[in-house]
């Protein structure tokens, strides 16, 4: 804990020194404008030490919430059995496990009770990580066509990424703060006061403004970080000494330095020249690209990676692992077709990808751009902040224009990473290509853009836009299948130190009541249906608040289950088939709203499930659905949703 405080103090002092130098003009404005994206008065990690810790919910409340989530899914007999198991758990093993968890939490005050367990669950899963775990976020194209040239856009996004990185390292990136009332708290007065408060009490100062600083402990892992496959459990490595990036083009890997020995970003014209050199490399497409190996089952990939290392590729892999980040320059135009864009950035053919990297910037030949990220190190909140800042900065402050001439007096700094392959690896690459092609072919991707409803309509009717989206998913799925199924909505717990995510369970008794009413042959009056919608919104808002405040039940039970496994303690609640059923997520949903984002998506959690990414704008909504036919066809769900949202908006707008 003392070491952590010392690090925070060093960062705070460093950022304040840089801020003072900037203010006194002892660092040139031109230098600062190029090297740093932001120059925050409040140090980036200023609130980190005083963030509240993720609470461990009361055992009886967790069990009550668990039963509430089970109620709409179970028949009466199964529910009574589950209720009995829960009652027994509360009065016996649950108490002991709760005490073990609290003791563990007391001994790890620098973190949260869920952080290690949650990361461990990602690293232990042996499923391939593309589609199953790695999400992607596609950003909008630049409104200036000339800036969508692949060379220009990739150079500007790389430079903006480095400016983000430098601001983060210097502790002058704007801290992530949720302002309840931005007009009153997102002000110069707020920044002046909070920047002067000691880090140990700074959170409390922000709280008085009704502003809530968010955890930023994941942000350093955006850069110089890679997931390394190992047998049974992978590991994350972080190498802050890396000053280069890797670039993939036509399946080949290249590396070049982007930072000087003093950690300054090299001139923009040099970055442009080095990218141009790569794009003009006449080498044919790589027929045996090692990137495809990152699409494999993790144990298989672990064995092959050790084979690669022992076959003289150790240095090549070190370049990839220690790179600040990875850039994938694709050789194809994607046009404006959402299907093609999403497919390319979610999975592609795997040959020009390295899915193990913390994140990869992906830019198509015609300038479509996205970020695809590995999930064990962190969550969508950090990646969204990064990509929206980079998107905005690369458009508003481009250092490369169509008129910029590339110049580099040392182009030999660009290294093409030659890979040595034996027959076993060659054969494995070919097998991986065939296997991945089959997997991707089996995945359906469908989308809906619906412009009759958005935030404005919902606010006018005093209902939550997110509640309406989730209600639409429940009605749409029931109309398609006649079933109520386990549903997952991701909710960030970044309001707490080392918080990760919590689950909102949108299938509730309230949504079930509405679904049965609206699909009934004899529908109730409009007034009653509107009342039921209002009740659904109230229940959903309550569940969302509880989850965001660390009062959901999923992560708590998950941690208790881990302690039960550690101590070989039998617990009826975890052996109950209903527990396994609830965690077999059929509808996996998530939303990340930002003006920068064109689309976001991920694969289904289970083969017979649906992956549902959605965006709610002021006057329209967008839904992206992934599925594996014949278990489900996303197109059927989209058709059902279209009719459902039509009916919902008609109901909401009726007097």
């Amino acid at each position: 804990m003392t070491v952590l405080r010392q690090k925070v103090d060093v960062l705070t002092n460093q950022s304040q020194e840089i801020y003072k130098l900037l203010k006194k003009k002892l660092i040139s404005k031109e230098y600062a404008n190029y090297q740093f994206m932001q120059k925050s008065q409040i140090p980036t990690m200023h609130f980190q030490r005083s963030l509240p810790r993720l609470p461990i919910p009361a055992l009886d409340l967790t069990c009550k919430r668990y039963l509430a989530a089970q109620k709409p899914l179970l028949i009466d007999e199964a529910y009574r059995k589950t209720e009995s198991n829960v009652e027994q758990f509360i009065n016996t093993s649950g108490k002991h496990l709760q005490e073990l968890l609290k003791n563990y939490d007391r001994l790890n005050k620098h973190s949260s009770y869920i952080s290690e367990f949650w990361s461990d669950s990602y690293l232990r899963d042996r499923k391939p990580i593309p589609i199953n775990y790695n999400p992607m976020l596609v950003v909008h194209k630049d409104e200036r066509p000339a800036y969508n040239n692949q060379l220009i856009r990739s150079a500007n996004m790389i430079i903006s990424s480095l400016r983000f990185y430098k601001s983060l390292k210097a502790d002058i990136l704007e801290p992530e703060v949720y302002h309840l009332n931005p007009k009153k708290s997102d002000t110069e007065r707020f920044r002046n006061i909070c920047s002067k408060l000691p880090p140990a009490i700074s959170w409390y100062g922000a709280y008085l403004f009704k502003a809530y600083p968010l955890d930023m402990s994941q942000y350093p892992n955006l850069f110089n970080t890679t997931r390394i496959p190992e047998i049974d459990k992978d590991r994350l490595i972080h190498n802050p000494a890396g000053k280069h990036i890797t670039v993939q083009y036509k399946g080949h890997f290249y590396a070049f330095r982007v930072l000087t020995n003093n950690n300054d970003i090299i001139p923009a014209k040099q970055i442009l020249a080095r990218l141009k050199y790569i794009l003009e490399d006449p080498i044919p497409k790589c027929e045996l690209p090692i990137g495809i190996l990152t699409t494999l089952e993790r144990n298989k990939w672990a064995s092959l990676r050790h084979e690669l290392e022992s076959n003289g590729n150790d240095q090549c892999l070190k370049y990839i692992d220690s790179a600040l980040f990875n850039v994938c320059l694709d050789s194809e135009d994607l046009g404006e077709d959402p299907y093609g864009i999403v497919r390319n950035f979610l999975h592609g053919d795997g040959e020009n990808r390295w899915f193990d990297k913390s994140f990869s910037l992906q830019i198509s030949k015609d300038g479509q751009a996205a970020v695809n990220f590995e999930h064990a190190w962190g969550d969508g909140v950090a990646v969204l902040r990064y990509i929206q800042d980079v998107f905005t900065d690369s458009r508003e402050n481009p250092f490369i224009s169509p008129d910029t001439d590339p110049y580099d007096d040392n182009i030999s700094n660009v290294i093409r990473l030659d890979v040595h392959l034996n027959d076993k690896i060659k054969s494995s690459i070919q097998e991986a290509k065939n296997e991945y092609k089959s997997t991707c072919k089996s995945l359906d991707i469908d989308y809906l853009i619906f412009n009759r409803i958005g935030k404005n309509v919902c606010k006018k009717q005093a209902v939550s836009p997110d509640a309406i989206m989730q209600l639409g998913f429940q009605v749409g799925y029931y109309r398609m299948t006649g079933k109520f199924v386990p549903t997952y909505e991701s909710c960030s717990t970044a309001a707490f130190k080392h918080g990760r995510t919590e689950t909102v369970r949108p299938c509730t008794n309230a949504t079930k009541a509405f679904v049965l009413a609206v699909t009934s042959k004899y529908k109730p009056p409009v007034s009653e249906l509107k009342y039921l919608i209002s009740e659904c919104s109230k229940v959903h808002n309550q569940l969302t608040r509880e989850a965001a405040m660390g009062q959901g039940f999923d992560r708590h039970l998950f941690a208790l289950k881990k302690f039960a496994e550690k101590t070989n303690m039998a617990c009826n609640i975890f052996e109950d088939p209903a527990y396994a059923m609830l965690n077999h997520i059929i509808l996996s949903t998530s939303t990340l709203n930002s003006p920068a984002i064109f689309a976001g998506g991920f694969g289904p959690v289970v083969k017979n499930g649906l992956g549902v990414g959605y965006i709610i704008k002021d006057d329209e909504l967008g839904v992206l659905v992934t599925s594996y036919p014949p278990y489900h066809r996303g197109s059927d769900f989209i058709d059902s949703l279209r009719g459902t949202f039509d009916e919902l908006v008609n109901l909401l707008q009726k007097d």
Side-chain angles (χ1 to χ4, degrees):
M1 190 66 181
T2 304
V3 174
L4 180 67
R5 285 179 177 172
Q6 287 171 348
K7 285 182 179 178
V8 171
D9 289 340
V10 167
L11 281 172
T12 301
N13 293 336
Q14 178 185 340
S15 66
Q16 288 173 347
E17 283 304 309
I18 291 173
Y19 186 76
K20 287 175 186 174
L21 290 171
L22 287 167
K23 218 169 180 185
K24 292 178 181 177
K25 299 183 180 177
L26 296 178
I27 294 177
S28 75
K29 188 176 180 181
E30 183 182 4
Y31 171 86
N33 282 347
Y34 181 59
Q35 295 295 325
F36 303 108
M37 177 186 285
Q38 295 164 11
K39 306 164 190 73
S40 174
Q41 183 178 353
I42 304 175
T44 309
M45 299 296 176
H46 188 58
F47 299 108
Q48 199 65 29
R49 189 197 296 182
S50 55
L51 279 175
R53 300 193 64 229
L54 184 67
I56 297 176
L59 183 62
D60 60 334
L61 289 178
T62 283
C63 290
K64 181 181 176 183
R65 291 162 181 154
Y66 170 69
L67 286 173
Q70 290 281 18
K71 184 70 173 171
L73 302 173
L74 297 174
I75 61 173
D76 289 345
E77 184 181 349
Y79 180 77
R80 284 194 294 272
K81 182 181 176 184
T82 295
E83 196 174 33
S84 173
N85 287 332
V86 168
E87 189 67 32
Q88 184 181 354
F89 178 71
I90 290 174
N91 295 317
T92 55
S93 56
K95 288 182 179 179
H96 180 59
L97 293 173
Q98 178 82 337
E99 202 52 45
L100 288 176
L101 181 59
K102 286 182 175 180
N103 287 337
Y104 169 83
D105 191 50
R106 278 191 288 268
L107 294 172
N108 292 275
K109 291 185 177 179
H110 63 285
S111 188
S112 69
Y113 77 86
I114 197 61
S115 182
E116 182 183 351
F117 293 126
W118 201 240
S119 180
D120 189 72
S121 70
Y122 279 111
L123 296 174
R124 286 191 183 279
D125 199 324
R126 301 293 82 195
K127 289 197 296 286
I129 59 175
I131 302 176
N132 294 311
Y133 279 115
N134 283 31
M136 65 81 200
L137 295 170
V138 185
V139 294
H140 290 286
K141 291 187 85 170
D142 198 304
E143 67 274 7
R144 302 160 297 181
Y147 282 81
N148 289 316
N149 171 280
Q150 185 179 35
L151 176 61
I152 293 170
R153 192 163 204 206
S154 57
N156 278 321
M157 292 190 79
I158 288 168
I159 292 165
S160 291
S161 297
L162 295 171
R163 283 156 48 77
F164 183 98
Y165 165 78
K166 284 286 302 281
S167 301
L168 176 65
K169 289 286 282 185
D171 212 30
I172 55 173
L173 189 76
E174 290 284 348
E176 192 73 13
V177 178
Y178 175 70
H179 295 274
L180 205 60
N181 188 339
K183 289 181 180 178
K184 291 186 177 180
S185 61
D186 194 6
T187 62
E188 197 62 35
R189 181 168 174 263
F190 169 80
R191 286 183 276 277
N192 281 333
I193 291 174
C194 286
S195 66
K196 292 177 173 63
L197 291 172
I201 62 168
S202 56
W203 182 90
Y204 301 96
Y207 176 77
L208 293 176
F209 280 88
K210 293 189 177 178
Y212 299 90
L214 303 180
D215 178 76
M216 297 188 74
S217 63
Q218 296 176 11
Y219 281 59
N221 286 329
L222 275 164
F223 302 97
N224 301 107
T225 302
T226 301
R227 176 172 175 164
I228 305 296
E230 298 285 4
I231 300 297
D232 295 335
K233 181 185 173 182
D234 294 353
R235 59 190 170 92
L236 294 172
I237 64 164
H238 180 67
N239 186 345
K243 300 180 188 296
H244 63 282
I245 62 171
T246 48
V247 178
Q248 288 178 274
Y249 181 57
K250 294 191 287 190
H252 298 281
F253 265 104
Y254 302 79
F256 64 85
R257 283 187 66 156
V258 288
L259 300 176
T260 68
N261 289 337
N262 294 325
N263 280 328
D264 288 334
I265 305 170
I266 66 172
K269 288 185 176 184
Q270 280 191 339
I271 292 175
L272 183 69
R274 293 175 185 188
L275 289 170
K276 186 172 185 285
Y277 175 82
I278 292 169
L279 287 169
E280 292 179 351
D281 189 347
I283 191 171
K285 178 185 175 184
C286 182
E287 295 302 320
L288 293 167
I290 60 171
I292 192 70
L293 297 176
T294 64
T295 69
L296 289 171
E297 186 269 346
R298 300 306 290 179
N299 281 347
K300 189 172 183 180
W301 168 213
S303 298
L304 285 167
R305 180 175 165 120
H306 286 301
E307 184 85 17
L308 271 173
E309 289 171 339
S310 62
N311 206 56
N313 299 296
D314 188 55
Q315 190 57 45
C316 169
L317 292 170
K318 282 180 179 175
Y319 270 116
I320 297 169
D321 297 339
S322 61
L324 283 154
F325 52 90
N326 186 46
V327 180
C328 305
L329 300 178
D330 292 340
S331 305
E332 300 81 25
D333 290 331
L334 295 179
E336 305 301 322
D337 176 26
Y339 291 110
I341 292 168
V342 169
R343 275 204 178 275
N344 184 69
F345 293 136
L346 178 61
H347 57 74
D349 63 11
E351 297 183 23
N352 204 49
R353 300 286 183 267
W354 195 261
F355 289 108
D356 289 359
K357 200 64 187 164
S358 54
F359 76 86
S360 291
L361 269 180
Q362 304 169 324
I363 300 109
S364 70
K365 190 176 180 182
D366 55 350
Q368 296 284 3
V371 60
N372 184 295
F373 65 98
E374 195 280 319
H375 220 326
W377 66 268
D379 302 307
V381 173
V383 180
L384 180 66
R385 166 70 188 275
Y386 154 75
I387 195 61
Q388 67 184 9
D389 281 9
V390 165
F391 170 77
T392 302
D393 186 66
S394 63
R395 289 171 70 209
E396 295 180 357
N397 305 297
F399 285 86
I400 299 295
S401 74
D403 300 323
T404 305
D405 292 322
Y407 174 76
D408 190 353
D409 57 1
N410 196 5
I411 201 71
S412 61
N413 274 332
V414 181
I415 306 166
R416 187 169 65 232
L417 304 181
D418 293 321
V419 184
H420 309 289
L421 306 176
N422 59 26
D423 289 343
K424 178 182 177 181
I425 299 170
K426 288 178 182 178
S427 174
S428 296
I429 288 174
Q430 195 56 55
E431 287 174 16
K433 287 167 75 170
N434 295 336
E435 188 178 316
Y436 191 60
K437 184 178 181 180
S438 175
T439 299
C440 296
K441 191 176 179 181
S442 71
L443 182 77
D444 263 12
I445 295 176
D446 299 274
Y447 75 95
L448 168 69
I449 296 173
F450 188 84
N451 57 15
R452 288 194 63 209
I453 191 171
K455 292 179 182 177
N456 290 334
V457 168
C458 293
K459 287 176 182 176
K460 189 175 179 182
Q461 300 298 324
V463 291
S464 155
D466 191 65
I468 293 300
M469 291 295 295
Q470 291 292 341
L471 182 58
F473 299 153
Q474 294 301 313
V475 177
Y477 190 85
Y478 184 82
R479 280 201 164 123
M480 184 176 76
T481 65
K483 296 177 182 177
F484 296 99
V485 293
T487 308
Y488 176 110
E489 180 184 357
S490 180
C491 177
S492 173
T493 51
F496 301 97
K497 186 177 291 186
H498 290 208
R500 293 287 310 242
T501 59
E502 181 54 271
T503 305
V504 177
R505 294 286 183 167
C507 182
T508 64
N509 287 329
T511 60
K512 185 174 183 178
F514 175 79
V515 171
L516 293 175
V518 81
T519 58
S520 170
K521 187 176 179 181
Y522 305 103
K523 286 184 186 178
V526 169
S527 59
E528 186 176 333
L529 289 172
K530 290 186 77 169
Y531 170 77
L532 290 173
I533 291 175
S534 178
E535 286 301 297
C536 290
S537 180
K538 288 175 186 174
V539 171
H540 187 77
N541 286 345
Q542 178 65 23
L543 291 176
T544 303
R545 275 194 299 271
E546 287 174 357
M549 296 311 293
Q551 292 296 321
F553 69 85
D554 275 88
R555 299 299 178 267
H556 185 199
L557 285 181
F558 179 81
L560 294 176
K561 185 172 183 286
K562 289 298 172 186
F563 274 102
E565 291 168 358
K566 277 186 175 185
T567 57
N568 294 316
M569 187 180 294
C571 299
N572 285 357
I573 187 174
F574 301 128
E575 294 164 6
D576 184 353
Y579 182 80
M581 177 276 296
L582 189 67
N583 288 287
H584 185 86
I585 305 297
I586 300 298
L587 281 175
S588 178
T589 75
S590 184
T591 182
L592 288 173
N593 283 319
S594 166
I597 301 303
F598 168 73
F602 49 90
V605 175
V606 293
K607 281 289 184 182
N608 63 331
L610 297 168
V612 184
Y614 62 98
I615 293 175
I616 316 165
K617 298 182 179 179
D618 287 343
D619 295 302
E620 72 174 28
L621 57 85
V623 184
L624 180 71
V625 179
T626 56
S627 61
Y628 290 108
Y631 301 104
H632 281 113
R633 294 191 182 278
S635 57
D636 293 341
F637 186 55
I638 289 294
D639 289 343
S640 185
L641 285 181
R642 189 178 286 109
T644 294
F645 284 124
D646 257 327
E647 185 166 10
L648 283 174
V649 73
N650 289 341
L651 277 172
L652 287 171
Q653 291 179 336
K654 281 183 180 176
D655 295 328

